[in-house]
Each structure stands twice: as structure tokens, then as C-alpha cells.
Amino acid sequence: MHIKSTLIKKCLLVVIIYFSAFRLFAQDCFSYVSIMSNSDSALIYIDNKVMGIGEVKAKLPIGRHFLQIKENKFLWNSQTFTDTIFIKKCGEEKKLNYKFKKRVLIDSQPQNAEIIKNDKIIAFTPALIEEDTNQLKLTKKNFLQKEININALKQNGNIFYLQRVNEKLNNNNFFESSLFKMLLGTATVFGATAAFFKIKADNKYDNYLQTKDVSIYDDVKRLDLYSGIALSLLQINIGYLVYKFLSN
């Protein structure tokens, strides 16, 4: 009985030593994986942990590992690569290279315009579009269509200002319209009227200072009132002209 118990203890000790040695060996068993991308700002995750930006060299144990590369976590609609790394033996060296497609940001004012490629809607502004895309068009209801040369775009900040359909007609016609001529004419009349009454009021005021006649002073106030009304109308007139000029 004692011999049997001793044998069992020895077997358990061998098993414990074996698994301890295996575990120790497994802990020292690693392979090296180099992960590269063509984006300096790309975030590289292995097993949901950030390992680096742009390019990393990771030390991984035997087994399966989940790889994720995000183009830029702050960039809307950024590209993402997902992959699985299998490490089968110790001392292995792997090199993995991932290339993001180059894209440019296209935006419009107003936004939410259709981006058309080959007569098909591929996105709405703002959107990241691949650089190898052919000629594009921006369309939006009640706005003029705008064509885009993809080769002439910058990497960022491509904002296209869309023009309303009726805005172009208004721009061309206002300075030749009868309204524009009438505003110029009335501005001249209001200016001359304001100046006329102001001069008359100043002359009357000089007489008042000499005579101290109250009736003359009443005339001065009446003429100043007329001058002020004409000047106010002139300011409104000029203000509207400036508004139309700036808006066009």
C-alpha cells in the first residue's frame, strides 16, 4: 500500500514538473511580427490593445492574434483593416504590409450635395473619395451643377460653393434693371434735398442769432426736420444699394 502511494506521488510530481516546464517554455516562446502601413497616423491594434502608430514590431506568443489597423480614429469614414495573425512556432519572423487607398475630402456649401460618378450617386458631401476616381459632378436641387477634376484636388479642404439656379440671373440683371437706375436717381434727389434744407436752416439760424425772433427759430427747426427726413431716406437708399452690391 505504501509502495502504491509512493508511486502515485512520483507520477503526480512528474506531471507537475512537466506542465511547469511546458508553461515556462511557452512563456519564453515568442515570434516577431513587423506591421507596416502607408499612413503615419494609422493606429495598430493587436488583441484590442494599441501597439503603435504607423509601423510597429510586436513580440507575440504562439497562438492566434486579432489585428486591426485604423486609418485615423478622428477621421470621419476612415478605412480599417482587420486580419488574423497565426503564430505556429517560436522564433518566427513575419512582415505584414497594409496600404490604405489614397482619398481626398470633398465638401460643398451647402452640404449634403450628391457626388455623381458615371451618372451614379456614390456619396453625399462631405465625403472622402478615392483619388483614382474619374471626373465627378456635384448636384443639389435648386442649385447649378458643378464638375470636379479629381486630379486638381488637394488632400484636404476642397470646398465647392454651389450657386442657386435663380441667383445667376439676378446677378446679371440687377445693375441693368430699372430698379437700380431708380435707386441711383432717388439717392441724388434725397441728397440734394437734404443739403438744400440744411443750408436754408443754417441761414435762418444766423438770422435768429441776430434778431432773436422766435418765429425764425421755428422755421429753423422745421427746415432741420425736412433735412433730417431727406437724409434718413438717403441712408435707406444707399443701404439697400450696398446690400444688393455685396449680395451679388
Side-chain angles (χ1 to χ4, degrees):
M1 188 70 177
H2 177 71
I3 296 174
K4 187 176 181 181
S5 176
T6 303
L7 183 62
I8 292 173
K9 289 180 180 179
K10 287 182 179 180
C11 290
L12 287 173
L13 182 62
V14 170
V15 171
I16 291 171
I17 292 172
Y18 172 79
F19 279 106
S20 297
F22 178 79
R23 184 178 179 183
L24 183 63
F25 175 75
Q27 287 178 346
D28 293 335
C29 180
F30 293 96
S31 289
Y32 293 92
V33 181
S34 297
I35 303 167
M36 295 165 283
S37 72
N38 61 342
S39 173
D40 294 334
S41 61
L43 287 170
I44 300 174
Y45 297 79
I46 296 179
D47 297 330
N48 297 320
K49 294 181 180 179
V50 178
M51 303 299 291
I53 300 175
E55 179 178 343
V56 298
K57 188 171 184 178
K59 183 179 177 183
L60 300 177
I62 289 176
R64 183 176 66 177
H65 303 276
F66 177 68
L67 172 66
Q68 191 175 41
I69 305 176
K70 295 183 178 180
E71 185 179 9
N72 188 326
K73 69 176 182 178
F74 300 110
L75 187 64
W76 179 81
N77 197 28
S78 61
Q79 300 176 76
T80 301
F81 287 110
T82 56
D83 202 354
T84 303
I85 304 173
F86 292 95
I87 304 298
K88 297 180 180 178
K89 58 183 180 180
C90 305
E92 227 181 336
E93 287 197 9
K94 291 178 178 286
K95 289 185 178 181
L96 304 174
N97 197 350
Y98 298 86
K99 292 185 178 181
F100 295 101
K101 293 181 179 179
K102 290 186 177 181
R103 300 183 296 172
V104 293
L105 178 63
I106 295 179
D107 200 357
S108 67
Q109 190 62 251
Q111 292 183 332
N112 203 34
E114 299 170 343
I115 302 177
I116 307 294
K117 175 187 175 183
N118 298 331
D119 298 324
K120 294 182 180 180
I121 300 173
I122 60 172
F124 292 86
T125 58
L128 289 166
I129 304 298
E130 294 177 12
E131 283 188 348
D132 58 356
T133 307
N134 297 326
Q135 197 81 7
L136 300 174
K137 297 177 183 178
L138 289 181
T139 63
K140 189 175 178 67
K141 188 177 180 180
N142 298 327
F143 289 85
L144 297 177
Q145 177 179 285
K146 183 177 286 290
E147 294 190 0
I148 300 174
N149 182 2
I150 199 77
N151 296 321
L153 296 179
K154 299 179 292 184
Q155 192 65 32
N156 291 299
N158 298 288
I159 302 178
F160 298 92
Y161 294 88
L162 304 180
Q163 191 175 43
R164 288 189 177 275
V165 173
N166 58 352
E167 185 179 330
K168 187 174 182 180
L169 297 175
N170 292 339
N171 289 351
N172 293 336
N173 293 337
F174 174 69
F175 295 107
E176 298 176 359
S177 66
S178 58
L179 175 61
F180 176 69
K181 296 173 184 178
M182 183 185 72
L183 288 171
L184 284 180
T186 52
T188 304
V189 172
F190 291 145
T193 303
F196 172 77
F197 284 116
K198 183 61 179 172
I199 293 171
K200 293 274 287 183
D202 290 343
N203 291 336
K204 285 280 187 179
Y205 187 71
D206 291 338
N207 292 336
Y208 166 73
L209 292 176
Q210 294 175 2
T211 63
K212 301 298 181 179
D213 187 344
V214 177
S215 62
I216 295 177
Y217 185 68
D218 290 338
D219 289 339
V220 172
K221 290 194 292 183
R222 177 173 52 82
L223 292 170
D224 276 337
L225 177 63
Y226 294 159
S227 177
I229 292 172
L231 184 60
S232 297
L233 292 172
L234 174 62
Q235 289 174 337
I236 294 172
N237 192 305
I238 292 176
Y240 185 72
L241 279 171
V242 171
Y243 163 74
K244 293 297 290 185
F245 175 76
L246 293 177
S247 63
N248 281 271

